[in-house]
Amino acid sequence: MNIDNTQSQMRKGVLEFCILSIIRQGEAYPSDIVEKMKAANLNILEGTLYPLLTRLKNADFLMYRWVESNSGPPRKYFSMTDKGLAFYRELEDTWNELANAVNTLTARVEKSNLTENQL
């Protein structure tokens, strides 16, 4: 198995949740989302982000508004709809359940390794 592929798949699995988390904090411009993701060590390319934003908008989870720019074309700023917020809360519950389960399992493994190493 390839560790890089496994790590990539794990990151892709939480991508929507992370993007929605950023937008939930306030209206966001795509390049701001990219920067926040990079700051959290979750690099994403705009070529990956834009189709995801379009899919979330088409599902009525996001809406956008155009804002005129002094330095180029108008910018599209995304915000969350009520439907998107409800979806986000479901994802948050799922994430918390999953994180707790993984933490429980990995903690048991660590305890088992400690016991084996102490013998």
Side-chain angles (χ1 to χ4, degrees), residues 17 89 91-103:
F17 180 54
R89 288 183 178 137
L91 286 179
E92 186 176 40
D93 289 344
T94 301
W95 171 256
N96 289 331
E97 290 172 12
L98 181 60
N100 288 335
V102 170
N103 288 335

Side-chain angles (χ1 to χ4, degrees), residues 7 15 37 41 57 65 68 74 79 84 96 98 100 114:
Q7 289 171 333
L15 202 53
M37 296 286 285
N41 203 27
K57 191 242 178 247
R65 69 182 180 99
E68 291 298 323
S79 59
N96 289 331
L98 181 60
N100 288 335
L114 281 176

